Amino acid sequence: MDKKPTIDDVAKMAGVARATVSRVLNSSPNTSKRARERVIQAVSALNYQVNQQARQLASGASRILALVFAADAEAEPNSYYHSAVELGAIRACNEQGYGLVTHTLDPAKQSYRSSILALADDGRSDGLVLTPPFCDDHELIQALQSKGFPFVLVSAGPDARHLSCSVGIDDRQAGLELGVYLLLQGHRRFGFITGPLDHKSAALRLEGFLEALDNAGHSDQIIEVADGNFTFKSGIDQAEGLLSRNDRPTALVCANDDMAAGALFTAHRLGLIVPADLSITGFDDTPVSQIVWPPLTTIHQPLRLIGSKAVELLIADVMRENGSTTRVAEAHLVSFQLVERGSTSKISVPPSLEALPISG
């Protein structure tokens, strides 16, 4: 395999210092027109960085980043997740003089991968922020890395976090803490509505919850799992099945707030009193969690912070001064918090169960 050109190769061909190449690539003003032209010509001749930065230099760097979300054309949009991440990303872009363009793609269509790679090739943006489920597509990650195109992952699973730079919370730990919380409240029959199957972060929330049950000496027979898709409607539909059982759960855990709001709607329609008859929890701490009644106990995920941190990491990658396509796979985990509200309460526990060990 041919060795990819480095910034030193560009400097040698252009007959300038390495620092001069760096200033040209970063659009710094203190560079002569002649030196700039030489660097641009060398970058083009060597095909330095396949992200087409060289082609942008002739008219100035784009200073545009692309944020890629998943959008299912057959389902209603998530009420807040995308907006919050985007707001955080926009804020960080504004602070550093960048623009942001948002793209939505259907992960159910196989063409999404080629569409994302086209974003890396068209020269209109300097880097990508990939959200779930695109952030866990190993083939896509490796293809972007082979191009040397900067990108950052949001809420990626453990495997993807080992491949590339990422930012998010520890979803498994959050699920575990939620499980410990409900066990300490006395609950021993659970329902769990998961997110889409290709969302690793949602799967980790369930894994953490199951770990809490296992740590307390319980088998998975005390929990019924239903597949949701993060929408309000899926919360309604899946809750109806779970709550119509003779041995219905005393606590219903939802992998996001939209589904929890839907589950709450179903509980009200079935005549259940929340939290006296049923505790319900969400995830994300989006605005909907506070406007439903009763307000939802949920996991606060700092979505705006995640969006802004992703952009900061991406810009740092874009501004790197070497031509290597090998980037450090750093997992930046931000803190989360369990927010207790009115949708959960303690229930009485039989004396035989009170001594069960519960560890987090």
Side-chain angles (χ1 to χ4, degrees):
M1 180 179 296
D2 294 337
K3 180 182 177 182
K4 292 186 178 298
T6 68
I7 193 171
D8 293 316
D9 295 326
V10 174
K12 182 177 180 180
M13 177 174 283
V16 299
R18 188 176 189 273
T20 301
V21 176
S22 177
R23 286 196 296 270
V24 172
L25 295 178
N26 294 326
S27 300
S28 299
N30 299 323
T31 308
S32 68
K33 181 179 179 180
R34 181 174 178 78
R36 179 181 176 82
E37 290 175 349
R38 286 181 177 177
V39 170
I40 292 172
Q41 290 173 359
V43 166
S44 178
L46 293 171
N47 195 25
Y48 174 69
Q49 292 192 338
V50 192
N51 63 7
Q52 298 196 12
Q53 185 177 12
R55 299 181 186 178
Q56 296 170 6
L57 287 173
S59 58
S62 73
R63 299 190 72 83
I64 297 292
L65 303 180
L67 175 62
V68 184
F69 287 121
D72 183 350
E74 302 301 321
E76 74 263 24
N78 185 290
S79 66
Y80 186 73
Y81 177 90
H82 290 176
S83 298
V85 172
E86 185 177 27
L87 285 171
I90 289 173
R91 179 174 58 189
C93 282
N94 289 340
E95 290 174 352
Q96 301 201 45
Y98 276 75
L100 184 74
V101 176
T102 300
H103 300 269
T104 56
L105 298 170
D106 188 346
K109 296 181 178 179
Q110 293 299 317
S111 60
Y112 80 78
R113 191 177 289 121
S114 60
S115 297
I116 292 175
L117 294 176
L119 293 176
D121 288 334
D122 65 15
R124 298 179 183 178
S125 61
D126 294 333
L128 298 174
V129 177
L130 299 179
T131 64
F134 308 124
C135 60
D136 288 298
D137 185 331
H138 292 191
E139 183 176 335
L140 174 63
I141 290 171
Q142 291 167 355
L144 288 170
Q145 288 175 332
S146 70
K147 290 177 176 293
F149 193 78
F151 65 96
V152 170
L153 310 176
V154 167
S155 300
D159 293 339
R161 290 201 297 263
H162 284 98
L163 295 177
S164 183
C165 185
S166 64
V167 59
I169 68 169
D170 188 336
D171 288 280
R172 185 185 180 97
Q173 182 64 27
L176 187 150
E177 292 187 16
L178 193 55
V180 170
Y181 165 76
L182 290 172
L183 286 168
L184 289 174
Q185 288 202 318
H187 296 281
R188 297 297 184 268
R189 293 198 309 274
F190 301 97
F192 198 112
I193 304 178
T194 66
L197 296 177
D198 54 1
H199 280 240
K200 301 297 184 183
S201 55
L204 288 169
R205 296 166 192 177
L206 174 59
E207 290 180 15
F209 193 89
L210 293 174
E211 182 180 346
L213 301 187
D214 183 64
N215 289 344
H218 297 294
S219 72
D220 56 11
Q221 294 181 347
I222 68 171
I223 184 171
E224 185 74 17
V225 178
D227 296 331
N229 64 3
F230 280 161
T231 64
F232 179 81
K233 185 178 185 303
S234 71
I236 291 176
D237 295 341
Q238 299 301 333
E240 184 169 1
L242 292 169
L243 299 180
S244 297
R245 299 163 53 99
N246 291 331
D247 58 344
R248 63 172 174 79
T250 63
L252 182 53
V253 181
C254 303
N256 80 338
D257 290 337
D258 280 12
M259 294 192 300
L264 185 60
F265 177 89
T266 293
H268 290 326
R269 185 172 57 79
L270 294 176
L272 298 175
I273 300 174
V274 178
D277 298 326
L278 173 71
S279 288
I280 297 178
T281 67
F283 205 104
D284 287 337
D285 194 22
T286 59
V288 71
S289 67
Q290 299 183 58
I291 62 177
V292 295
W293 186 260
L296 292 170
T297 293
T298 187
I299 295 291
H300 173 73
Q301 182 175 197
L303 297 173
R304 293 193 186 190
L305 174 61
I306 289 173
S308 61
K309 181 66 174 178
V311 164
E312 291 172 5
L313 293 171
L314 182 55
I315 292 176
D317 197 1
V318 170
M319 300 294 285
R320 285 163 63 95
E321 291 191 1
N322 62 68
S324 172
T325 59
T326 302
R327 293 174 168 83
V328 179
E330 294 179 315
H332 298 265
L333 295 179
V334 298
S335 62
F336 63 87
Q337 179 183 3
L338 193 155
V339 180
E340 186 176 8
R341 298 196 181 102
S343 68
T344 55
S345 66
K346 291 185 177 181
I347 63 172
S348 59
V349 183
S352 61
L353 297 178
E354 287 181 346
L356 284 173
I358 299 174
S359 62

